[in-house]
Amino acid sequence: MASPQTTLTLFLLLPLLTTITAATLPVKPTTQLNSNSILIALLDSRYTEVSELVEKALLLQTLEQAVTLHNITIFAPTNEALEHDLDPMFKQFLLEPRNLRSLQSLLLHHIVPTRVGVSLWPNENTIHNTLSDDPLHLSGSETVKFVNSAEVVVANDVVRNDGIIHGIGRILIPESVQQEFNKRRRLRAISAVKPQGAPEVDPRTNRLRRPAPPVRVGSPPVLPIYSAMAPGPSLAPAPAPGPGGPRHHFDGESQVKDFIHTLLQYGGYNEMADILVNLTNLATEMGKLVSEGYVLTVLAPNDEAMAKLTTDQLAEPGAPEKIMYYHIVPEYQTEESMYNAVRRFGKIQYDTLHMPHKVVAQEADGSVKFGDGEDTAYLFDPDIYIDGRISVQGIDGVLFPSSVDKNSKATENAKTVDSVPKPRRGKLREVACGVLASIGQDATFTACHHI
């Protein structure tokens, strides 16, 4: 038991110890928001989808601290952009509990810790840091303003002393979140690059094939693309030299992955990407062709068009491959080149990988229409992906080879039969009857017509 003297000493020193402790320990700042704060305005605004995501991401405390430290600018996607334009699989990915960090990064990517009003909007492309690790690019003019590729649809929608809200027409997806989403999708690895260094046997001579002579950089392949697609032992040339890859060849694997990821990120073409990667091995074939120096243009039907396919159209063995082959043109065409061609020449026939069928293109309603029968499609989303080797053009319908191609030979044969000249004997008879009639031989003329 402590002595009375020790107890008295502790009682006298207790106030001093309390004062020293309060002076040395840091005081955690308290964030108090008034009712006129930009954060309160966001939660009560028309951007209800963004508000719900902010609450689900547990970001209220983080944003409260940001508002107390900065005058912020919020680029809020409209409800339509989040409900209709956002990929359902991507939205499901964001709402999974294990992907909370990705959802937080995506939302913080829409907030700039500086005040950027319409009057301060840069005319040239400028980089602005965000509350996430990925910056934003602001650009525009007096009439149109952009945040990355998203257009500002409602500028200065909500203005408060501590911040401002602009409405944008598309959600901004940082690269880190996109990469994480692609990993979770578990896209099948595309082994498109041909192994190098192993000896090759020429199937025609059963001898080791001699190494091909050096090819100049950028030279096109020697064989046509249909020979490269031929089944059995590969007769295609070695990969053409190009700028990409560790050995300075075209990296078809990376380019095919890039354009598939672009389809997924663009939205509305998930069925096309699924067929290329999961239902068929077309992604592998396309990667191989691009690695060997060939160029391709993909006419990609959107999800609404793919949903109209019937079971009868897909029941035949190999039907998905045939349909996709008919939508791949072995040329590099952009929206501008195709439109200029149909404007100049009227109708253009492009070769497809579904031999020997061709796809017809013509101008219609200021755009390019594909197909020449009941199954037609318009160029709906131009230049979704263009990299100099692969071009992806979005269309609003699924194309099928026209029945005219199947009956073309029969039509030509019918025309040939109709145009067969009359026998020479019948021609001489007509001439003889004409001569007899001119000299007045009526009886002979009458008998001539009864022959």
Side-chain angles (χ1 to χ4, degrees), residues 60 257 270 304:
L60 290 178
K257 282 185 178 180
N270 298 328
E304 294 182 5

Side-chain angles (χ1 to χ4, degrees), residues 202-214:
D202 191 337
R204 292 167 292 187
T205 60
N206 292 327
R207 296 181 180 179
L208 289 179
R209 180 177 294 173
R210 295 181 180 180

Side-chain angles (χ1 to χ4, degrees), residues 24-100:
T24 55
L25 292 177
V27 179
K28 185 176 180 180
T30 58
T31 58
Q32 294 182 354
L33 298 177
N34 56 30
S35 60
N36 201 30
S37 172
I38 190 66
L39 183 56
I40 302 298
L42 174 65
L43 298 178
D44 295 337
S45 66
R46 72 176 85 180
Y47 305 103
T48 56
E49 292 288 334
V50 176
S51 302
E52 292 179 5
L53 290 179
V54 169
E55 295 178 359
K56 291 178 180 178
L58 307 178
L59 284 177
L60 290 178
Q61 184 176 0
T62 303
L63 295 181
E64 287 176 1
Q65 296 177 0
V67 169
T68 58
L69 298 175
H70 308 283
N71 198 306
I72 66 174
T73 301
I74 302 175
F75 301 103
T78 60
N79 291 343
E80 291 77 11
L82 291 173
E83 291 176 356
H84 304 294
D85 300 337
L86 190 61
D87 181 8
M89 296 186 63
F90 183 69
K91 191 171 183 179
Q92 181 181 0
F93 160 81
L94 293 176
L95 297 179
E96 292 179 359
R98 61 176 178 176
N99 301 323
L100 178 62

Side-chain angles (χ1 to χ4, degrees), residues 256-268:
V256 171
K257 282 185 178 180
D258 286 345
F259 107 75
I260 292 177
H261 294 166
T262 303
L263 279 180
L264 297 174
Q265 183 176 359
Y266 194 89

Side-chain angles (χ1 to χ4, degrees), residues 104-316:
Q104 293 175 344
S105 300
L106 182 137
L107 293 173
L108 295 177
H109 186 60
H110 292 73
I111 303 176
V112 175
T114 54
R115 188 183 184 92
V116 183
V118 175
S119 59
L120 300 178
W121 201 280
N123 294 329
E124 298 180 355
N125 190 355
T126 57
I127 300 177
H128 288 259
N129 293 326
T130 64
L131 297 184
S132 68
D133 297 332
D134 299 286
L136 288 178
H137 296 263
L138 303 185
S139 61
S141 60
E142 296 181 357
T143 57
V144 183
K145 304 185 185 306
F146 291 94
V147 184
N148 286 358
S149 60
E151 181 181 353
V152 177
V153 294
V154 184
N156 291 356
D157 190 13
V158 180
V159 179
R160 295 292 186 270
N161 293 332
D162 57 353
I164 189 171
I165 299 177
H166 301 291
I168 58 178
R170 288 182 59 181
I171 190 172
L172 306 174
I173 303 177
E175 184 177 357
S176 58
V177 176
Q178 183 64 48
Q179 291 177 355
E180 186 66 22
F181 173 63
N182 293 336
K183 291 179 183 178
R184 295 295 172 86
R185 269 188 61 88
R186 299 175 182 176
L187 290 174
R188 189 175 61 183
I190 304 173
S191 57
V193 180
K194 187 179 179 181
Q196 302 177 8
E200 298 182 11
V201 178
D202 191 337
R204 292 167 292 187
T205 60
N206 292 327
R207 296 181 180 179
L208 289 179
R209 180 177 294 173
R210 295 181 180 180
V215 185
R216 296 182 59 185
V217 175
S219 299
V222 179
L223 295 178
I225 190 171
Y226 307 106
S227 300
M229 294 174 57
S234 176
L235 301 178
R247 305 188 181 216
H248 302 287
H249 292 84
F250 292 115
D251 190 358
E253 176 184 359
S254 298
Q255 289 179 272
V256 171
K257 282 185 178 180
D258 286 345
F259 107 75
I260 292 177
H261 294 166
T262 303
L263 279 180
L264 297 174
Q265 183 176 359
Y266 194 89
Y269 294 89
N270 298 328
E271 296 294 334
M272 181 73 179
D274 188 50
I275 290 179
L276 291 176
V277 176
N278 298 323
L279 298 183
T280 65
N281 61 345
L282 291 179
T284 303
E285 294 185 18
M286 293 175 63
K288 180 180 178 182
L289 293 173
V290 174
S291 296
E292 293 173 352
Y294 298 98
V295 294
L296 301 171
T297 297
V298 182
L299 305 178
N302 56 22
D303 289 345
E304 294 182 5
M306 299 292 285
K308 298 178 182 178
L309 289 175
T310 63
T311 55
D312 295 337
Q313 293 172 326
L314 299 174
E316 183 181 353

